[in-house]
Amino acid sequence: MPPRHGTAPVRRRYDVVVVGAGTAGSVLAARLSEDPDRDVLVVDAGPLPRGPAGFGPALLDGLLVPGAQPNHPATSAHPVRLTPTRPWLVPRGRVLGGSSTVNGGYFVRARREDFDRWAAAGNPAWSYERVLPFLRALENDLDHGDGPLHGDRGPMRIRRGRPDHPAAAAFRDAAHALGFPDDPDKNDQAPPGFGPVPSNVIDGVRRNAGLSYLPPEVLDRPNLTALGGRTARRVVVENGRATGVVVEHGGRRFALDAGTVVLSAGALVTPHLLQLSGIGPRADLERVGIPVVRDAPAVGSGFSDHPQVVLEWAPRDVWREPSGSWLGGCLHLTSTGGTLAGTGSGGGPGDLEILQSLVPLSHLVTGGAVTAGGPLPFLVSAVAPRRTGRLRIRSADPTTPLSIDYGYLGSREDQGRLRDGVRVTAALLESPPFAGVAHGPLGPGPEVLDHDDALDQWIREHLGTAQHTCGTVPMGPADEPRHAAVDQFGRVHGVRGLRVADTSILPDAPHRGPAATAVLIGEVIARAIRNDPSEPCPRDPR
Ligand SMILES: Cc1cc2nc3c(=O)[nH]c(=O)nc-3n(C[C@H](O)[C@H](O)[C@H](O)COP(=O)(O)OP(=O)(O)OC[C@H]3O[C@@H](n4cnc5c(N)ncnc54)[C@H](O)[C@@H]3O)c2cc1C
Protein backbone atom coordinates (compact mmCIF):
# COMPACT_ATOMS: atom_id res chain seq x y z
CA MET A 1 0.00 0.00 0.00
CA PRO A 2 1.45 3.40 -0.89
CA PRO A 3 2.17 5.83 1.94
CA ARG A 4 -0.78 8.12 2.56
CA HIS A 5 1.09 10.91 4.32
CA GLY A 6 -0.25 14.08 2.80
CA THR A 7 -2.00 12.38 -0.09
CA ALA A 8 -5.21 10.94 1.34
CA PRO A 9 -8.54 12.63 0.76
CA VAL A 10 -9.14 14.42 4.03
CA ARG A 11 -12.68 15.80 3.98
CA ARG A 12 -14.40 12.87 5.61
CA ARG A 13 -15.39 11.85 9.07
CA TYR A 14 -13.12 9.83 11.36
CA ASP A 15 -14.13 8.06 14.53
CA VAL A 16 -11.13 9.57 16.31
CA VAL A 17 -8.85 12.40 15.24
CA VAL A 18 -5.60 12.52 17.23
CA VAL A 19 -3.87 15.92 17.03
CA GLY A 20 -0.13 15.37 17.35
CA ALA A 21 1.79 12.19 16.47
CA GLY A 22 4.25 12.84 19.29
CA THR A 23 5.24 10.73 22.26
CA ALA A 24 1.72 10.13 23.57
CA GLY A 25 -0.07 10.70 20.24
CA SER A 26 1.87 7.90 18.51
CA VAL A 27 0.73 5.50 21.21
CA LEU A 28 -2.89 6.62 20.84
CA ALA A 29 -2.86 6.23 17.06
CA ALA A 30 -1.30 2.78 17.26
CA ARG A 31 -3.44 1.38 20.06
CA LEU A 32 -6.75 2.82 18.82
CA SER A 33 -6.19 1.48 15.31
CA GLU A 34 -5.63 -2.01 16.71
CA ASP A 35 -9.44 -2.24 16.61
CA PRO A 36 -10.00 -2.66 12.87
CA ASP A 37 -13.49 -1.17 13.06
CA ARG A 38 -12.30 2.17 14.41
CA ASP A 39 -11.27 4.70 11.77
CA VAL A 40 -8.40 6.78 13.16
CA LEU A 41 -6.78 9.91 11.76
CA VAL A 42 -3.59 11.31 13.28
CA VAL A 43 -2.34 14.69 12.12
CA ASP A 44 0.93 16.35 12.98
CA ALA A 45 2.42 19.75 12.25
CA GLY A 46 5.72 18.10 11.32
CA PRO A 47 6.70 15.33 8.91
CA LEU A 48 5.87 11.66 9.51
CA PRO A 49 8.90 9.62 8.44
CA ARG A 50 8.44 5.94 7.63
CA GLY A 51 10.78 3.67 9.57
CA PRO A 52 14.43 4.28 10.44
CA ALA A 53 15.42 5.23 6.90
CA GLY A 54 12.77 7.95 6.86
CA PHE A 55 14.12 9.51 10.04
CA GLY A 56 17.72 9.37 8.83
CA PRO A 57 20.77 8.68 11.00
CA ALA A 58 21.14 12.13 12.62
CA LEU A 59 17.67 12.02 14.26
CA LEU A 60 18.28 8.52 15.58
CA ASP A 61 21.86 8.99 16.80
CA GLY A 62 22.00 8.23 20.52
CA LEU A 63 25.10 10.40 20.91
CA LEU A 64 23.07 13.47 19.93
CA VAL A 65 20.17 15.33 21.54
CA PRO A 66 18.68 17.07 18.49
CA GLY A 67 16.41 19.22 20.66
CA ALA A 68 19.49 20.74 22.31
CA GLN A 69 20.54 22.19 18.95
CA PRO A 70 19.00 25.65 18.52
CA ASN A 71 16.61 25.87 15.54
CA HIS A 72 16.88 22.19 14.68
CA PRO A 73 14.44 21.60 11.77
CA ALA A 74 12.66 18.81 13.66
CA THR A 75 11.73 21.19 16.47
CA SER A 76 9.51 24.17 17.16
CA ALA A 77 10.77 26.89 19.51
CA HIS A 78 8.61 28.50 22.20
CA PRO A 79 9.64 31.83 23.75
CA VAL A 80 9.32 31.67 27.54
CA ARG A 81 10.65 33.37 30.69
CA LEU A 82 12.35 31.03 33.16
CA THR A 83 12.40 33.89 35.69
CA PRO A 84 11.07 37.41 35.11
CA THR A 85 14.54 38.42 33.87
CA ARG A 86 15.64 35.26 32.07
CA PRO A 87 14.09 34.77 28.61
CA TRP A 88 14.60 31.38 26.99
CA LEU A 89 13.59 29.47 23.87
CA VAL A 90 12.15 26.08 24.72
CA PRO A 91 12.24 23.45 21.94
CA ARG A 92 9.69 20.73 21.30
CA GLY A 93 9.83 17.93 18.75
CA ARG A 94 7.90 18.67 15.56
CA VAL A 95 8.08 15.33 13.78
CA LEU A 96 6.71 11.81 14.21
CA GLY A 97 7.51 10.82 17.80
CA GLY A 98 7.43 14.47 18.88
CA SER A 99 9.82 15.36 21.64
CA SER A 100 10.85 11.70 22.07
CA THR A 101 12.52 12.04 18.65
CA VAL A 102 14.70 14.96 19.73
CA ASN A 103 15.19 14.23 23.43
CA GLY A 104 17.88 12.60 25.53
CA GLY A 105 16.48 9.08 25.40
CA TYR A 106 16.37 8.83 29.23
CA PHE A 107 13.33 6.64 29.90
CA VAL A 108 12.73 6.53 33.64
CA ARG A 109 9.39 5.84 35.26
CA ALA A 110 7.80 8.35 37.59
CA ARG A 111 8.09 7.41 41.26
CA ARG A 112 5.42 5.51 43.13
CA GLU A 113 4.92 8.70 45.20
CA ASP A 114 4.10 10.62 42.01
CA PHE A 115 1.46 8.14 40.87
CA ASP A 116 -0.06 7.90 44.33
CA ARG A 117 -0.13 11.71 44.68
CA TRP A 118 -1.96 12.02 41.35
CA ALA A 119 -4.36 9.26 42.41
CA ALA A 120 -5.05 11.02 45.72
CA ALA A 121 -5.88 14.21 43.81
CA GLY A 122 -9.00 12.51 42.43
CA ASN A 123 -7.47 10.28 39.74
CA PRO A 124 -7.62 6.77 41.23
CA ALA A 125 -6.75 5.11 37.91
CA TRP A 126 -3.24 6.60 38.27
CA SER A 127 -2.19 4.84 41.47
CA TYR A 128 1.06 2.90 41.10
CA GLU A 129 -0.78 -0.39 41.48
CA ARG A 130 -3.17 0.48 38.66
CA VAL A 131 -0.58 1.82 36.20
CA LEU A 132 1.99 -0.94 36.74
CA PRO A 133 0.35 -3.29 34.17
CA PHE A 134 0.54 -0.48 31.61
CA LEU A 135 4.18 0.24 32.49
CA ARG A 136 4.95 -3.42 31.85
CA ALA A 137 2.92 -3.52 28.65
CA LEU A 138 4.60 -0.53 27.05
CA GLU A 139 8.16 -1.82 27.38
CA ASN A 140 10.46 -4.54 26.22
CA ASP A 141 13.07 -4.35 28.97
CA LEU A 142 16.15 -5.92 27.43
CA ASP A 143 17.95 -6.10 30.80
CA HIS A 144 15.19 -7.58 32.98
CA GLY A 145 12.79 -9.32 30.61
CA ASP A 146 9.35 -10.34 31.76
CA GLY A 147 8.62 -10.24 35.49
CA PRO A 148 6.41 -8.63 38.12
CA LEU A 149 7.92 -5.18 37.44
CA HIS A 150 8.95 -5.40 33.81
CA GLY A 151 7.63 -6.46 30.45
CA ASP A 152 9.25 -8.04 27.41
CA ARG A 153 6.58 -7.51 24.75
CA GLY A 154 5.97 -3.78 24.56
CA PRO A 155 6.96 -1.47 21.72
CA MET A 156 9.50 0.59 23.74
CA ARG A 157 12.81 -1.25 23.97
CA ILE A 158 14.65 -0.27 27.14
CA ARG A 159 18.25 -0.87 28.14
CA ARG A 160 20.56 0.55 30.81
CA GLY A 161 24.00 1.94 30.08
CA ARG A 162 27.15 0.08 31.14
CA PRO A 163 29.83 1.94 33.13
CA ASP A 164 32.43 0.98 30.52
CA HIS A 165 33.54 4.57 29.95
CA PRO A 166 36.21 5.94 32.32
CA ALA A 167 34.06 8.98 33.15
CA ALA A 168 31.04 6.78 33.97
CA ALA A 169 33.19 4.53 36.16
CA ALA A 170 34.60 7.59 37.98
CA PHE A 171 31.07 8.89 38.65
CA ARG A 172 30.00 5.52 40.05
CA ASP A 173 33.06 5.29 42.29
CA ALA A 174 32.69 8.90 43.44
CA ALA A 175 29.04 8.32 44.35
CA HIS A 176 30.10 5.29 46.40
CA ALA A 177 32.92 7.28 48.02
CA LEU A 178 30.40 9.91 49.15
CA GLY A 179 28.15 7.20 50.56
CA PHE A 180 25.29 7.21 48.06
CA PRO A 181 23.54 3.85 47.67
CA ASP A 182 23.38 1.82 44.48
CA ASP A 183 20.23 2.16 42.42
CA PRO A 184 20.75 -0.45 39.70
CA ASP A 185 17.23 -0.29 38.25
CA LYS A 186 15.79 3.20 38.30
CA ASN A 187 12.47 1.75 37.14
CA ASP A 188 11.92 -0.55 40.14
CA GLN A 189 10.91 2.03 42.81
CA ALA A 190 13.75 1.07 45.16
CA PRO A 191 15.31 3.89 47.23
CA PRO A 192 17.03 6.44 45.00
CA GLY A 193 20.79 6.50 44.53
CA PHE A 194 23.41 6.06 41.84
CA GLY A 195 22.76 3.87 38.83
CA PRO A 196 22.68 3.56 35.07
CA VAL A 197 19.94 5.30 33.12
CA PRO A 198 17.13 3.20 31.64
CA SER A 199 17.02 4.41 28.06
CA ASN A 200 15.28 3.89 24.75
CA VAL A 201 18.63 4.26 22.99
CA ILE A 202 19.42 0.75 21.79
CA ASP A 203 22.72 -0.05 20.05
CA GLY A 204 23.28 3.64 19.39
CA VAL A 205 19.77 4.26 17.98
CA ARG A 206 17.27 6.46 19.85
CA ARG A 207 14.09 4.47 19.22
CA ASN A 208 11.56 7.27 19.63
CA ALA A 209 7.89 6.61 20.35
CA GLY A 210 6.93 7.14 16.69
CA LEU A 211 9.41 4.59 15.41
CA SER A 212 8.40 2.19 18.19
CA TYR A 213 4.60 2.46 17.94
CA LEU A 214 4.06 3.59 14.33
CA PRO A 215 6.46 1.58 12.16
CA PRO A 216 5.50 1.29 8.46
CA GLU A 217 3.39 -1.83 9.00
CA VAL A 218 1.22 0.04 11.55
CA LEU A 219 1.07 3.23 9.44
CA ASP A 220 -0.24 1.01 6.62
CA ARG A 221 -3.26 -0.23 8.55
CA PRO A 222 -6.32 0.41 6.38
CA ASN A 223 -8.15 2.07 9.30
CA LEU A 224 -5.29 4.47 10.17
CA THR A 225 -4.61 7.65 8.24
CA ALA A 226 -1.52 9.62 9.19
CA LEU A 227 -1.05 13.10 7.75
CA GLY A 228 2.06 15.19 8.34
CA GLY A 229 2.40 18.92 7.68
CA ARG A 230 -1.07 19.59 9.16
CA THR A 231 -1.12 22.24 11.87
CA ALA A 232 -4.24 22.18 14.02
CA ARG A 233 -5.58 25.65 14.78
CA ARG A 234 -8.61 24.94 16.96
CA VAL A 235 -11.23 22.38 17.89
CA VAL A 236 -14.75 22.83 16.51
CA VAL A 237 -17.27 22.66 19.37
CA GLU A 238 -21.00 22.65 18.62
CA ASN A 239 -23.62 22.55 21.38
CA GLY A 240 -21.09 21.43 23.96
CA ARG A 241 -19.64 18.67 21.79
CA ALA A 242 -16.37 18.58 19.84
CA THR A 243 -17.18 17.73 16.23
CA GLY A 244 -13.86 18.25 14.51
CA VAL A 245 -10.60 20.11 14.18
CA VAL A 246 -9.61 23.06 12.01
CA VAL A 247 -6.31 22.25 10.37
CA GLU A 248 -3.97 24.34 8.24
CA HIS A 249 -2.11 22.84 5.30
CA GLY A 250 -0.42 24.56 2.38
CA GLY A 251 -1.84 27.95 3.41
CA ARG A 252 -5.44 26.65 3.49
CA ARG A 253 -7.60 25.99 6.53
CA PHE A 254 -10.24 23.28 6.58
CA ALA A 255 -12.22 21.26 9.11
CA LEU A 256 -11.80 17.56 9.74
CA ASP A 257 -14.90 15.94 11.23
CA ALA A 258 -14.44 13.62 14.18
CA GLY A 259 -16.50 11.51 16.53
CA THR A 260 -13.84 12.14 19.19
CA VAL A 261 -10.97 14.61 19.17
CA VAL A 262 -7.85 13.81 21.20
CA LEU A 263 -5.35 16.62 21.70
CA SER A 264 -1.80 15.26 21.99
CA ALA A 265 0.06 18.35 20.79
CA GLY A 266 2.26 18.58 23.89
CA ALA A 267 2.13 20.58 27.10
CA LEU A 268 2.88 23.91 25.40
CA VAL A 269 0.50 23.61 22.42
CA THR A 270 -2.48 21.63 23.75
CA PRO A 271 -3.49 24.38 26.24
CA HIS A 272 -3.13 26.92 23.43
CA LEU A 273 -5.44 24.88 21.16
CA LEU A 274 -7.98 24.62 23.98
CA GLN A 275 -7.92 28.37 24.57
CA LEU A 276 -8.21 29.12 20.84
CA SER A 277 -11.29 26.86 20.94
CA GLY A 278 -12.88 28.85 23.77
CA ILE A 279 -11.86 26.51 26.61
CA GLY A 280 -9.79 28.31 29.22
CA PRO A 281 -9.93 31.00 31.90
CA ARG A 282 -12.94 33.19 31.05
CA ALA A 283 -11.21 36.52 31.71
CA ASP A 284 -8.26 35.62 29.48
CA LEU A 285 -10.50 34.49 26.62
CA GLU A 286 -12.71 37.58 26.85
CA ARG A 287 -9.65 39.85 26.96
CA VAL A 288 -8.54 38.60 23.52
CA GLY A 289 -12.05 38.29 22.08
CA ILE A 290 -12.45 34.50 21.94
CA PRO A 291 -16.07 33.39 22.59
CA VAL A 292 -16.14 31.33 25.80
CA VAL A 293 -17.22 27.72 25.28
CA ARG A 294 -16.19 26.58 28.74
CA ASP A 295 -14.71 28.60 31.58
CA ALA A 296 -11.76 26.38 32.52
CA PRO A 297 -9.56 28.33 34.96
CA ALA A 298 -7.12 25.44 35.41
CA VAL A 299 -5.90 25.62 31.79
CA GLY A 300 -2.40 27.07 32.01
CA SER A 301 -2.76 28.44 35.52
CA GLY A 302 -0.14 26.40 37.40
CA PHE A 303 2.17 24.24 35.34
CA SER A 304 5.27 22.42 36.45
CA ASP A 305 8.81 21.77 35.17
CA HIS A 306 12.34 21.10 36.47
CA PRO A 307 14.92 23.92 36.73
CA GLN A 308 18.42 22.89 35.73
CA VAL A 309 22.02 24.10 35.74
CA VAL A 310 25.02 22.55 33.99
CA LEU A 311 28.44 22.03 35.58
CA GLU A 312 31.37 21.15 33.36
CA TRP A 313 34.64 19.46 34.25
CA ALA A 314 37.86 18.88 32.33
CA PRO A 315 39.04 15.30 31.81
CA ARG A 316 42.80 14.72 32.07
CA ASP A 317 42.87 12.25 29.20
CA VAL A 318 41.58 12.17 25.68
CA TRP A 319 39.05 9.33 25.71
CA ARG A 320 37.39 7.43 22.91
CA GLU A 321 33.82 8.29 21.97
CA PRO A 322 31.27 6.65 24.31
CA SER A 323 29.60 3.61 22.84
CA GLY A 324 26.14 4.43 21.57
CA SER A 325 24.71 6.96 24.03
CA TRP A 326 25.62 10.34 25.46
CA LEU A 327 24.17 9.22 28.83
CA GLY A 328 26.55 8.29 31.63
CA GLY A 329 25.36 7.48 35.13
CA CYS A 330 22.67 9.22 37.14
CA LEU A 331 22.49 10.06 40.84
CA HIS A 332 19.19 10.77 42.55
CA LEU A 333 19.41 12.17 46.05
CA THR A 334 17.22 13.97 48.51
CA SER A 335 17.99 17.59 49.18
CA THR A 336 18.66 19.00 52.61
CA GLY A 337 17.28 22.42 51.81
CA GLY A 338 20.49 23.87 50.44
CA THR A 339 21.78 25.69 53.51
CA LEU A 340 25.41 25.18 54.40
CA ALA A 341 24.24 23.74 57.70
CA GLY A 342 21.95 21.37 55.82
CA THR A 343 18.98 22.12 58.03
CA GLY A 344 16.18 22.66 55.50
CA SER A 345 13.41 20.26 54.66
CA GLY A 346 13.79 17.82 51.82
CA GLY A 347 11.39 17.58 48.91
CA GLY A 348 10.64 13.89 48.80
CA PRO A 349 12.56 10.80 47.72
CA GLY A 350 15.22 11.80 45.24
CA ASP A 351 14.22 15.40 44.55
CA LEU A 352 17.62 16.17 43.01
CA GLU A 353 19.02 14.63 39.86
CA ILE A 354 22.65 14.70 38.74
CA LEU A 355 22.82 13.31 35.21
CA GLN A 356 26.13 12.69 33.51
CA SER A 357 26.87 13.39 29.87
CA LEU A 358 29.70 11.49 28.23
CA VAL A 359 29.91 13.93 25.34
CA PRO A 360 30.77 17.63 25.57
CA LEU A 361 28.05 20.25 25.68
CA SER A 362 29.53 21.79 22.52
CA HIS A 363 28.75 18.53 20.73
CA LEU A 364 25.21 18.33 22.13
CA VAL A 365 24.29 21.88 21.13
CA THR A 366 25.86 21.83 17.65
CA GLY A 367 25.48 18.21 16.65
CA GLY A 368 29.08 18.44 15.43
CA ALA A 369 31.84 15.92 15.89
CA VAL A 370 32.67 14.94 19.46
CA THR A 371 35.65 17.02 20.60
CA ALA A 372 38.06 14.51 22.06
CA GLY A 373 39.21 15.69 25.45
CA GLY A 374 36.63 18.49 25.66
CA PRO A 375 34.92 19.37 28.97
CA LEU A 376 32.12 17.03 30.01
CA PRO A 377 28.89 18.25 31.61
CA PHE A 378 26.75 17.23 34.54
CA LEU A 379 23.08 18.25 34.27
CA VAL A 380 21.84 19.14 37.75
CA SER A 381 18.06 19.40 38.10
CA ALA A 382 15.68 20.11 40.97
CA VAL A 383 13.02 17.47 40.35
CA ALA A 384 10.58 18.06 43.21
CA PRO A 385 7.03 18.36 41.85
CA ARG A 386 6.30 22.09 41.97
CA ARG A 387 3.60 24.08 40.20
CA THR A 388 5.35 27.38 39.55
CA GLY A 389 4.51 28.19 35.92
CA ARG A 390 1.72 30.08 34.24
CA LEU A 391 0.80 30.47 30.59
CA ARG A 392 -1.71 32.89 29.12
CA ILE A 393 -3.15 33.52 25.71
CA ARG A 394 -2.18 36.89 24.18
CA SER A 395 -4.22 36.95 20.99
CA ALA A 396 -6.99 35.17 19.13
CA ASP A 397 -4.48 34.78 16.28
CA PRO A 398 -3.14 31.21 16.64
CA THR A 399 0.29 32.24 15.34
CA THR A 400 0.87 34.64 18.26
CA PRO A 401 2.87 32.77 20.91
CA LEU A 402 1.48 32.32 24.39
CA SER A 403 2.92 34.29 27.28
CA ILE A 404 4.75 31.56 29.24
CA ASP A 405 6.33 32.15 32.66
CA TYR A 406 8.10 29.24 34.33
CA GLY A 407 8.31 30.97 37.71
CA TYR A 408 11.63 29.27 38.51
CA LEU A 409 13.52 30.21 41.68
CA GLY A 410 10.47 31.97 43.07
CA SER A 411 10.74 29.90 46.23
CA ARG A 412 13.54 29.35 48.71
CA GLU A 413 13.05 25.59 48.37
CA ASP A 414 13.99 25.38 44.69
CA GLN A 415 16.91 27.74 45.17
CA GLY A 416 18.04 25.54 48.06
CA ARG A 417 17.68 22.34 46.05
CA LEU A 418 19.85 23.66 43.25
CA ARG A 419 22.45 24.84 45.79
CA ASP A 420 22.55 21.31 47.17
CA GLY A 421 22.84 19.87 43.68
CA VAL A 422 25.73 22.13 42.68
CA ARG A 423 27.60 21.50 45.93
CA VAL A 424 27.19 17.72 45.74
CA THR A 425 28.35 17.71 42.10
CA ALA A 426 31.40 19.77 43.06
CA ALA A 427 32.09 17.36 45.94
CA LEU A 428 31.87 14.38 43.58
CA LEU A 429 34.36 16.03 41.24
CA GLU A 430 36.73 16.75 44.14
CA SER A 431 36.52 13.17 45.47
CA PRO A 432 39.41 10.69 45.03
CA PRO A 433 37.83 8.68 42.17
CA PHE A 434 37.69 11.81 40.02
CA ALA A 435 41.12 13.05 41.09
CA GLY A 436 42.77 10.57 38.75
CA VAL A 437 40.71 11.48 35.71
CA ALA A 438 39.72 15.16 36.14
CA HIS A 439 41.40 18.51 36.45
CA GLY A 440 38.47 19.39 38.71
CA PRO A 441 35.28 21.35 38.12
CA LEU A 442 35.45 24.27 35.71
CA GLY A 443 33.26 26.28 38.04
CA PRO A 444 32.00 27.49 40.36
CA GLY A 445 35.01 27.73 42.69
CA PRO A 446 35.13 27.75 46.50
CA GLU A 447 34.58 31.52 46.65
CA VAL A 448 31.10 30.83 45.22
CA LEU A 449 30.37 27.38 46.64
CA ASP A 450 31.04 28.45 50.21
CA HIS A 451 28.59 31.36 50.25
CA ASP A 452 24.86 30.96 49.75
CA ASP A 453 24.39 34.42 48.23
CA ALA A 454 27.22 33.98 45.75
CA LEU A 455 25.98 30.53 44.78
CA ASP A 456 22.42 31.81 44.34
CA GLN A 457 23.77 34.44 41.97
CA TRP A 458 25.75 31.81 40.04
CA ILE A 459 22.62 29.66 39.75
CA ARG A 460 20.56 32.62 38.49
CA GLU A 461 23.19 33.33 35.84
CA HIS A 462 23.42 29.71 34.70
CA LEU A 463 19.78 28.72 35.01
CA GLY A 464 18.20 26.56 32.32
CA THR A 465 15.38 24.06 32.14
CA ALA A 466 15.17 20.29 31.82
CA GLN A 467 12.25 20.82 29.36
CA HIS A 468 9.88 18.61 31.32
CA THR A 469 6.73 20.75 31.17
CA CYS A 470 3.65 19.09 32.68
CA GLY A 471 0.34 20.18 34.14
CA THR A 472 -0.87 22.83 31.70
CA VAL A 473 -4.25 21.03 31.47
CA PRO A 474 -4.31 19.11 34.76
CA MET A 475 -6.53 16.15 35.49
CA GLY A 476 -8.83 15.86 38.48
CA PRO A 477 -12.47 15.98 39.51
CA ALA A 478 -14.95 18.19 37.65
CA ASP A 479 -16.03 19.90 40.87
CA GLU A 480 -12.55 21.38 41.31
CA PRO A 481 -12.39 23.63 38.23
CA ARG A 482 -9.53 25.73 39.58
CA HIS A 483 -7.33 22.63 39.76
CA ALA A 484 -8.62 20.33 37.04
CA ALA A 485 -9.60 20.80 33.41
CA VAL A 486 -9.88 17.12 32.39
CA ASP A 487 -10.80 13.91 34.17
CA GLN A 488 -8.39 11.06 34.82
CA PHE A 489 -8.93 9.70 31.31
CA GLY A 490 -8.30 13.06 29.64
CA ARG A 491 -11.98 13.96 29.04
CA VAL A 492 -12.31 17.73 28.99
CA HIS A 493 -14.73 18.76 31.71
CA GLY A 494 -17.92 20.19 30.26
CA VAL A 495 -17.19 19.38 26.60
CA ARG A 496 -18.23 16.04 25.16
CA GLY A 497 -16.15 14.23 22.56
CA LEU A 498 -12.88 15.98 23.50
CA ARG A 499 -9.90 14.51 25.33
CA VAL A 500 -6.35 15.53 26.12
CA ALA A 501 -3.62 12.89 26.09
CA ASP A 502 -0.12 14.24 26.67
CA THR A 503 1.95 15.50 29.60
CA SER A 504 -0.43 18.47 29.92
CA ILE A 505 -2.73 16.29 32.04
CA LEU A 506 -0.29 15.41 34.83
CA PRO A 507 -1.20 17.50 37.88
CA ASP A 508 2.50 18.28 38.27
CA ALA A 509 5.84 17.08 36.89
CA PRO A 510 6.95 13.75 38.34
CA HIS A 511 10.23 13.29 40.24
CA ARG A 512 11.80 12.05 37.00
CA GLY A 513 11.87 13.09 33.33
CA PRO A 514 8.40 12.60 31.83
CA ALA A 515 9.09 10.76 28.53
CA ALA A 516 8.21 7.32 29.94
CA THR A 517 5.12 8.83 31.57
CA ALA A 518 4.08 10.42 28.26
CA VAL A 519 4.06 6.96 26.67
CA LEU A 520 2.11 5.68 29.68
CA ILE A 521 -0.47 8.45 29.20
CA GLY A 522 -0.99 7.26 25.62
CA GLU A 523 -1.48 3.70 26.82
CA VAL A 524 -3.88 4.58 29.66
CA ILE A 525 -6.07 6.89 27.60
CA ALA A 526 -6.14 4.58 24.57
CA ARG A 527 -7.35 1.80 26.85
CA ALA A 528 -9.99 4.12 28.34
CA ILE A 529 -11.28 5.02 24.87
CA ARG A 530 -11.32 1.38 23.78
CA ASN A 531 -13.26 0.39 26.90
CA ASP A 532 -15.71 3.30 26.81
CA PRO A 533 -19.08 2.23 25.39
CA SER A 534 -19.99 5.87 24.76
CA GLU A 535 -17.09 6.34 22.36
CA PRO A 536 -18.19 6.39 18.72
CA CYS A 537 -17.30 3.33 16.73
CA PRO A 538 -18.08 2.51 13.13
CA ARG A 539 -21.09 0.44 13.98
CA ASP A 540 -22.77 3.31 15.77
CA PRO A 541 -25.87 4.38 13.89
CA ARG A 542 -24.92 7.99 13.18
C1 LIG B 1 15.34 18.66 24.07
C2 LIG B 1 14.53 17.81 24.99
C3 LIG B 1 15.14 16.78 25.71
C4 LIG B 1 14.38 16.01 26.58
N1 LIG B 1 14.96 14.92 27.17
C5 LIG B 1 14.21 14.08 27.90
C6 LIG B 1 14.74 12.85 28.35
O1 LIG B 1 15.87 12.46 28.02
N2 LIG B 1 13.95 12.08 29.16
C7 LIG B 1 12.69 12.47 29.52
O2 LIG B 1 12.05 11.76 30.28
N3 LIG B 1 12.14 13.59 29.04
C8 LIG B 1 12.86 14.37 28.19
N4 LIG B 1 12.28 15.47 27.63
C9 LIG B 1 10.84 15.67 27.84
C10 LIG B 1 10.00 14.64 27.08
O3 LIG B 1 10.63 14.26 25.88
C11 LIG B 1 8.62 15.25 26.80
O4 LIG B 1 8.06 15.68 28.03
C12 LIG B 1 7.65 14.25 26.18
O5 LIG B 1 8.25 13.63 25.07
C13 LIG B 1 6.39 14.99 25.78
O6 LIG B 1 5.50 14.12 25.14
P1 LIG B 1 4.09 14.66 24.63
O7 LIG B 1 3.40 13.54 23.99
O8 LIG B 1 3.43 15.36 25.77
O9 LIG B 1 4.44 15.80 23.56
P2 LIG B 1 5.37 15.73 22.27
O10 LIG B 1 6.14 14.47 22.24
O11 LIG B 1 6.13 17.00 22.24
O12 LIG B 1 4.35 15.66 21.05
C14 LIG B 1 3.63 16.75 20.55
C15 LIG B 1 3.37 16.51 19.08
O13 LIG B 1 2.37 17.44 18.65
C16 LIG B 1 2.74 17.98 17.40
N5 LIG B 1 2.11 19.29 17.31
C17 LIG B 1 2.39 20.40 18.02
N6 LIG B 1 1.56 21.39 17.68
C18 LIG B 1 0.71 20.89 16.76
C19 LIG B 1 -0.40 21.43 16.03
N7 LIG B 1 -0.81 22.69 16.22
N8 LIG B 1 -1.03 20.63 15.13
C20 LIG B 1 -0.62 19.35 14.93
N9 LIG B 1 0.41 18.80 15.59
C21 LIG B 1 1.06 19.56 16.50
C22 LIG B 1 4.26 18.04 17.44
O14 LIG B 1 4.80 18.08 16.13
C23 LIG B 1 4.58 16.75 18.20
O15 LIG B 1 4.75 15.66 17.32
C24 LIG B 1 13.00 16.28 26.76
C25 LIG B 1 12.38 17.30 26.04
C26 LIG B 1 13.12 18.06 25.15
C27 LIG B 1 12.43 19.13 24.35
Side-chain angles (χ1 to χ4, degrees), residues 279-282 284 294-302 474 480-485:
I279 302 160
R282 176 182 293 282
D284 289 356
R294 168 83 179 179
D295 179 21
V299 174
S301 66
E480 294 182 20
R482 305 207 72 75
H483 301 293

Side-chain angles (χ1 to χ4, degrees), residues 217-275:
E217 62 273 21
V218 176
L219 285 171
D220 286 343
R221 283 178 187 156
N223 61 324
L224 175 62
T225 304
L227 300 174
R230 266 62 172 188
T231 303
R233 293 306 191 191
R234 68 181 171 86
V235 180
V236 182
V237 184
E238 294 168 328
N239 302 319
R241 179 173 189 94
T243 57
V245 185
V246 174
V247 167
E248 195 167 303
H249 175 59
R252 283 193 322 116
R253 283 190 191 176
F254 50 91
L256 297 163
D257 294 343
T260 291
V261 175
V262 184
L263 296 180
S264 298
L268 296 178
V269 177
T270 288
H272 197 184
L273 288 173
L274 286 174
Q275 298 193 19

Side-chain angles (χ1 to χ4, degrees), residues 19-25 43-46 65 67-68 91-95 97-100 102-106 230-232 264-267 269 273 466-469 502-503 513-516 518:
V19 175
T23 316
V43 293
D44 199 280
V65 182
R92 282 292 178 275
R94 191 170 167 277
V95 60
S99 297
S100 73
V102 301
N103 76 4
Y106 151 128
R230 266 62 172 188
T231 303
S264 298
V269 177
L273 288 173
Q467 343 235 40
H468 292 165
T469 310
D502 57 31
T503 62

